[in-house]
């Protein structure tokens, strides 16, 4: 009797499974191809394939797909940098009804960033980039500095840089990164990065002025090397210990350990940004384009990918830091990390995720970001006055953002 | 019998006529059939975008919002473009780099071609191929290699300069810049135009050399012999025989350089790591319109900027044609 029932249930589940079986293509960038290959057999009712392009090409392709209304995958992976401009574009399925009951399980700042201005959820976070300061432990020890002392506030951090400079060591690869970190992670609740809730520009506010001042102080003091991220100079900077600190996402750890500077194992540590600032670097989202033929089946894949087990698997397979906060109780989070001299860094990452302030994505963010970076360069390289540079940005924004 | 033949011929002649017509039709249109793949591809990728861009330049369109979101704004995009300080800054950058890389290209290629022709055909063929090689190499690959060579800490340019600034014989020449070494070739606004121009010069000098060697080959040896008999030396033969007769080739080469250099995109894009460095002086107008279109997602503005660029290139070429066209095209 029992055996019969079991067979019946199995047959029934097989029938329902095949009845709704669908071919689902997910469009994304590396390393998600590794993750999809590792997990796709777990979602046996659908046939999952992945179309992989490198990061830049993937997003350009997606823009073209949205423009023409054809060719996008059933599920698409979106970098956090593009989410703001995509969620209000009207090209994606409203996921609120699927997601609202589970949204509480995920990092709140990331969930908020996936919402459009109408309050509907168009993209859901799949991985996060808790932002940390990587620092050389040996330099601090040799010079008799204590981590807490250095990271008390931005001034103590810069004082440390002055001491490093005397020894011929740079504080950081590029001073511009400090300005970016400061204005990004000191936003007030409810405002965007560059605009307030009414769309009025904030670029001339104290937050930007102070950010520019910090970067300028470091540049003028000769404490940075104008070393841009993801260049050969940057890699060799890590390898040869040219700079003592570098800010980035938790995911940089994997790159450092695996290929950028494996020989420096044990020399690095991670900490909060100065003044107890919580920040985030990167992160990815999943969304369903309106062109997708079978949104229900597409959601099955998303739901599977953001489920607790698969999130943990992603953390192990490709070091994608889980958006699901329930995973942070897993034993693996308390493992010491050898590369960081046994630091239990994942606990810190989880703490950061819980504390990052949500920022509202606004129309014009992409333009503002470019203009601010350009102004920063003028201030740092060409000695332009900070107030003037920021006023120019505001003028340009008024013209450009339509 | 006669009537029979007439009757039997009548039904035959109609199809025959039709067949002949069909043959005629086939004969006339078959070539076009074979040309069709080209016409279709050219129509879709060459002609359609031009007209679509005219249409686009009068609209506000964020591509991510789909085709339906286009909004007619009249001349707003043009007004915005023409009053945009960044547009004029990037236009100026483009012009400066066009001159910095374009003029030396021709000043170097001409004598080089003359020298190659003097060397005789065997050496010429080998050397021309060598000089042409950069032209057929991928621009991105070339620019990436130059990026590595320009690197502040590990690049060969800085390594050589550092060495020379300490070597006893050359130290005095470089004493002025010793303080600022290593130089940020691609990071500094003051240097970026020279760094980009050098790559462009290196890449296209071979192409111009080939044009000029071909041009020199068309000049009859008799003229040189006659000049020699009249006692003309090497320089005089170059100045008074080769140069005047090369005018159509110079005209062709310079026209291509003007158009190509005003469209400069890849070299500055790669050398500034996608516009991360030296944006004020290193960004060309093509880089700017790419940024407006694909980073700011403002396709209408980008289309208007490309039309403004089109008009500017048109004006430069027209001025050049007006000044040198008649001579250049070989007319009187």
């Amino acid at each position: 009797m029992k055996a019969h029932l079991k067979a019946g249930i199995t047959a029934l589940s097989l029938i329902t499974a095949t009845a709704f079986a669908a071919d689902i293509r997910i469009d994304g960038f590396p390393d998600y191809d590794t993750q999809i290959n590792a997990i796709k057999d777990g979602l046996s009712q659908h046939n999952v394939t992945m179309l992989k392009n490198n990061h830049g090409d993937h997003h350009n392709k997606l823009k073209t797909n949205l423009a023409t209304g054809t060719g996008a995958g059933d599920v698409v992976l979106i970098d956090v940098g593009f989410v703001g401009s995509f969620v209000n574009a009207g090209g994606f399925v409203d996921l609120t009804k699927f997601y609202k009951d589970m949204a509480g399980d995920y990092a709140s700042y990331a969930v908020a960033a996936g919402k459009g201005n109408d309050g509907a959820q168009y993209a859901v976070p799949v991985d996060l980039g808790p932002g940390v300061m990587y620092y050389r432990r040996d330099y601090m020890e040799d010079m008799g500095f204590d981590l807490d002392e250095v990271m008390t506030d931005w001034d103590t951090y810069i004082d440390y840089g002055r001491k490093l400079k005397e020894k011929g060591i740079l504080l950081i690869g590029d001073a511009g990164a400090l300005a970016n970190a400061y204005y990004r992670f000191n936003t007030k609740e409810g405002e965007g990065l560059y605009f307030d809730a009414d769309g009025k520009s904030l670029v001339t506010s104290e937050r930007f002025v102070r950010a520019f001042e910090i970067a300028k102080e470091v540049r003028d003091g000769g404490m940075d090397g104008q070393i841009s991220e993801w260049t050969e100079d940057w890699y060799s900077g890590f390898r040869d210990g040219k700079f003592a600190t570098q800010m980035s996402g938790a995911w940089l750890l994997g790159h450092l350990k695996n290929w950028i500077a494996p020989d420096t194992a044990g020399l690095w540590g991670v900490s909060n940004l100065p003044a107890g600032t919580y920040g985030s670097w990167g992160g990815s989202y999943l969304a369903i384009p309106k062109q997708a033929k079978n949104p229900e089946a597409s959601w099955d894949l998303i739901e599977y990918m953001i489920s607790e087990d698969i999130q943990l698997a992603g953390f192990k397979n490709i070091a994608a830091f889980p958006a699901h906060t329930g995973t942070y109780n897993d034993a693996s989070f308390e493992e010491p990390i050898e590369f960081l001299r046994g630091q239990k860094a994942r606990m810190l990452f989880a703490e950061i995720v819980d504390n990052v302030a949500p920022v509202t994505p606004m129309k014009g963010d992409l333009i503002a970001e470019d203009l601010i970076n350009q102004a920063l360069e003028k201030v740092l390289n060409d000695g332009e006055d900070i107030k003037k540079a920021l006023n120019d940005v505001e003028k340009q924004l008024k013209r450009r953002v339509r | 019998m006669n009537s029979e033949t007439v009757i039997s011929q009548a039904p035959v002649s109609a199809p025959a006529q039709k067949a002949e017509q069909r043959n005629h039709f086939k004969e006339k249109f078959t070539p076009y059939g074979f040309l069709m793949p080209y016409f279709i591809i050219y129509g879709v990728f060459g002609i359609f975008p031009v007209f679509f861009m005219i249409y686009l330049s009068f609209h506000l369109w964020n591509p991510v919002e789909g085709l339906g979101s286009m909004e007619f704004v009249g001349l707003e995009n043009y007004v915005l473009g023409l009053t945009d300080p960044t547009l004029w800054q990037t236009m100026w950058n483009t012009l400066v780099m066009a001159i910095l890389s374009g003029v030396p290209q021709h000043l170097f290629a001409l004598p080089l071609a003359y020298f190659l022709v003097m060397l005789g055909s065997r050496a010429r063929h080998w050397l021309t191929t060598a000089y042409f090689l950069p032209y057929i190499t991928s621009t991105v690959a070339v620019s990436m290699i130059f990026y590595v060579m320009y690197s502040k800490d590990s690049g060969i340019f800085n390594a050589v300069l550092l060495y020379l600034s300490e070597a006893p014989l050359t130290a005095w020449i470089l004493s002025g810049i010793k303080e600022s070494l290593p130089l940020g070739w691609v990071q500094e606004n003051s240097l970026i135009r020279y760094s980009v121009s050098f790559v462009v010069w290196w890449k296209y000098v071979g192409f111009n050399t080939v044009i000029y060697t071909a041009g020199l080959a068309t000049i009859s040896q008799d003229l040189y012999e006659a000049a020699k008999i009249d006692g003309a030396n090497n320089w005089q033969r170059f100045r008074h025989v080769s140069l005047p007769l090369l005018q159509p080739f110079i005209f062709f080469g310079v026209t291509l350089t003007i158009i190509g250099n005003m469209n400069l995109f890849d070299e500055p894009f790669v050398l500034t790591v996608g516009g991360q460095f030296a944006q004020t002086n290193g960004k060309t107008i093509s880089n700017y319109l790419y940024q407006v279109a694909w980073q700011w997602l403002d396709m209408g503005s980008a289309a208007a900027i490309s039309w403004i660029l089109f008009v500017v290139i048109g004006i430069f070429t027209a001025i050049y044609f007006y000044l040198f066209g008649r001579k250049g095209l070989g007319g009187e």
Side-chain angles (χ1 to χ4, degrees), chain A residues 190-252:
Chain A
E191 63 181 27
L193 267 187
Y194 310 96
F195 304 94
D196 67 11
D198 305 321
K200 213 174 132 283
S201 144
L202 294 168
V203 297
T204 51
S205 68
E206 183 54 30
R207 175 157 58 95
F208 283 89
V209 175
R210 176 79 179 120
F212 275 47
E213 280 169 359
I214 292 171
K216 193 171 163 53
E217 199 176 341
V218 170
R219 171 66 54 85
D220 291 353
M223 292 175 251
D224 83 322
Q226 272 183 279
I227 301 170
S228 181
E229 292 182 6
W230 307 110
T231 60
E232 190 46 48
D233 284 347
W234 197 55
Y235 309 144
S236 68
F238 277 109
R239 276 194 293 271
D240 308 339
K242 254 178 238 158
F243 37 74
T245 64
Q246 191 68 38
M247 295 177 295
S248 190
W251 42 263
L252 184 68

Side-chain angles (χ1 to χ4, degrees), chain A residues 143-162:
Chain A
M143 290 163 54
F145 272 89
D146 177 59
L147 175 68
D148 293 334
E149 189 186 334
V150 170
M151 298 294 172
T152 311
D153 56 37
W154 292 89
D155 290 325
T156 55
Y157 173 74
I158 294 172
D159 286 341
Y160 175 54
R162 288 203 183 88

Side-chain angles (χ1 to χ4, degrees), chain A residues 113-397:
Chain A
K115 284 183 181 167
N117 290 344
D118 56 0
Q121 193 83 40
Y122 292 104
V124 301
V126 59
D127 70 61
L128 310 172
V132 287
M133 182 76 85
Y134 291 82
Y135 67 95
R136 285 284 293 239
R137 290 174 183 274
D138 48 337
Y139 292 163
M140 272 187 204
E141 286 157 7
D142 293 350
M143 290 163 54
F145 272 89
D146 177 59
L147 175 68
D148 293 334
E149 189 186 334
V150 170
M151 298 294 172
T152 311
D153 56 37
W154 292 89
D155 290 325
T156 55
Y157 173 74
I158 294 172
D159 286 341
Y160 175 54
R162 288 203 183 88
K163 289 281 168 359
L164 283 166
K165 161 103 179 149
E166 286 167 16
K167 303 249 172 192
I169 301 164
L170 299 172
L171 176 62
I172 191 164
D174 187 42
L178 295 169
N180 268 301
Y182 188 88
Y183 78 71
R184 268 170 204 280
F185 308 132
N186 284 298
T187 51
K188 290 196 196 79
E189 182 123 18
E191 63 181 27
L193 267 187
Y194 310 96
F195 304 94
D196 67 11
D198 305 321
K200 213 174 132 283
S201 144
L202 294 168
V203 297
T204 51
S205 68
E206 183 54 30
R207 175 157 58 95
F208 283 89
V209 175
R210 176 79 179 120
F212 275 47
E213 280 169 359
I214 292 171
K216 193 171 163 53
E217 199 176 341
V218 170
R219 171 66 54 85
D220 291 353
M223 292 175 251
D224 83 322
Q226 272 183 279
I227 301 170
S228 181
E229 292 182 6
W230 307 110
T231 60
E232 190 46 48
D233 284 347
W234 197 55
Y235 309 144
S236 68
F238 277 109
R239 276 194 293 271
D240 308 339
K242 254 178 238 158
F243 37 74
T245 64
Q246 191 68 38
M247 295 177 295
S248 190
W251 42 263
L252 184 68
L253 185 58
H255 294 278
L256 284 177
K257 192 174 74 179
N258 294 335
W259 63 277
I260 295 179
D263 293 342
T264 58
L267 297 177
W268 293 95
V270 292
S271 114
N272 267 335
L273 307 188
T277 312
Y278 293 105
S280 94
W281 255 268
S284 321
Y285 286 74
L286 291 169
I288 305 174
K290 277 198 176 141
Q291 324 162 12
K293 289 176 284 295
N294 190 348
E296 306 275 336
S298 300
W299 176 256
D300 287 346
L301 175 62
I302 294 184
E303 192 177 18
Y304 176 63
M305 285 178 74
I306 61 174
S307 66
E308 201 168 334
D309 292 350
I310 300 303
Q311 289 265 289
L312 270 175
F315 193 37
K316 277 163 199 152
N317 292 338
I318 58 167
F321 196 81
H324 194 301
T325 50
T327 57
Y328 306 161
N329 300 321
D330 188 79
S332 63
F333 272 74
E334 289 186 42
E335 279 170 21
I337 294 171
E338 213 178 301
F339 188 83
L340 301 173
R341 201 185 285 176
Q343 190 179 359
K344 291 180 180 173
R346 287 166 188 161
M347 306 283 278
L348 174 67
F349 298 156
E351 180 201 324
I352 292 169
V353 167
D354 286 336
N355 286 289
V356 173
V359 176
T360 321
M362 301 290 240
K363 189 179 173 181
D365 277 356
L366 288 172
I367 302 178
E369 185 184 339
D370 271 351
L371 292 176
I372 282 288
N373 280 333
Q374 207 170 332
L376 187 58
E377 188 194 281
K378 277 186 186 157
V379 167
L380 296 182
N381 290 3
D382 306 334
E384 193 169 286
D385 179 60
I386 293 176
K387 288 256 161 59
K388 183 187 176 298
L390 290 173
N391 280 332
D392 283 350
V393 172
E394 187 160 274
K395 260 188 237 159
Q396 287 255 62
L397 278 179

Side-chain angles (χ1 to χ4, degrees), chain A residues 5-147:
Chain A
L5 198 65
K6 247 187 185 168
I9 289 168
T10 319
L12 196 70
S13 61
L14 265 175
I15 288 164
T16 47
T18 43
F20 296 102
D23 289 330
I24 308 172
R25 194 185 85 206
I26 172 168
D27 287 6
F29 44 85
D31 268 340
Y32 265 91
D33 47 332
T34 315
Q35 165 76 346
I36 292 289
N37 279 332
I39 63 163
K40 70 178 177 190
D41 294 336
L43 190 71
S44 51
Q45 71 265 40
H46 298 307
N47 175 27
V48 178
T49 52
M50 174 154 182
L51 180 67
K52 176 189 75 170
N53 274 297
N54 75 40
H55 187 268
D57 291 343
H58 165 73
H59 290 98
N60 276 343
K61 174 184 174 296
L62 186 54
K63 286 174 200 168
T64 320
N65 292 149
L66 292 168
T68 52
T70 174
D74 301 288
V75 174
V76 293
L77 194 66
I78 306 172
D79 184 279
V80 67
F82 294 93
V83 158
S85 59
F86 284 1
V87 286
N88 291 319
F92 294 99
V93 176
D94 180 359
L95 303 174
T96 315
K97 66 171 171 174
F98 300 118
Y99 192 61
K100 65 173 190 288
D101 292 335
M102 56 175 89
D105 294 339
Y106 299 87
S108 55
Y109 81 92
V111 172
K115 284 183 181 167
N117 290 344
D118 56 0
Q121 193 83 40
Y122 292 104
V124 301
V126 59
D127 70 61
L128 310 172
V132 287
M133 182 76 85
Y134 291 82
Y135 67 95
R136 285 284 293 239
R137 290 174 183 274
D138 48 337
Y139 292 163
M140 272 187 204
E141 286 157 7
D142 293 350
M143 290 163 54
F145 272 89
D146 177 59
L147 175 68

Side-chain angles (χ1 to χ4, degrees), chain A residues 60 63-64 66-67 85-86 88-89 225-226 228 231 233 242 366-367 370-371 373-374 377-378 381-382 396 399-400 402, chain B residues 60 63-67 76-77 80 83-84 86 147 151-152 154 187-189 276-279 291 294-296 298 301:
Chain A
N60 276 343
K63 286 174 200 168
T64 320
L66 292 168
S85 59
F86 284 1
N88 291 319
Q226 272 183 279
S228 181
T231 60
D233 284 347
K242 254 178 238 158
L366 288 172
I367 302 178
D370 271 351
L371 292 176
N373 280 333
Q374 207 170 332
E377 188 194 281
K378 277 186 186 157
N381 290 3
D382 306 334
Q396 287 255 62
R399 289 161 39 82
R400 270 284 164 206
R402 298 184 282 174
Chain B
L60 181 62
V64 175
E65 292 173 13
L67 277 172
E76 195 182 303
N77 290 326
L80 205 62
T83 55
D84 182 357
T86 319
Y147 177 81
S151 158
K152 208 168 174 177
S154 47
Q187 284 93 348
E188 299 291 342
N189 271 318
Q276 277 187 44
F277 303 130
Q279 295 185 59
Q291 184 181 32
W294 288 103
Q295 279 168 310
W296 299 358
D298 187 350
S301 268

Side-chain angles (χ1 to χ4, degrees), chain B residues 9 34 46 50 128 151 167 171 226 230 234 248 266 293 309 314 317 326-327:
Chain B
Q9 258 177 4
F34 281 116
V50 172
T128 317
S151 158
D230 288 342
N234 240 330
D266 307 42
L309 175 63
T317 319
R326 231 190 270 155
K327 272 192 200 160

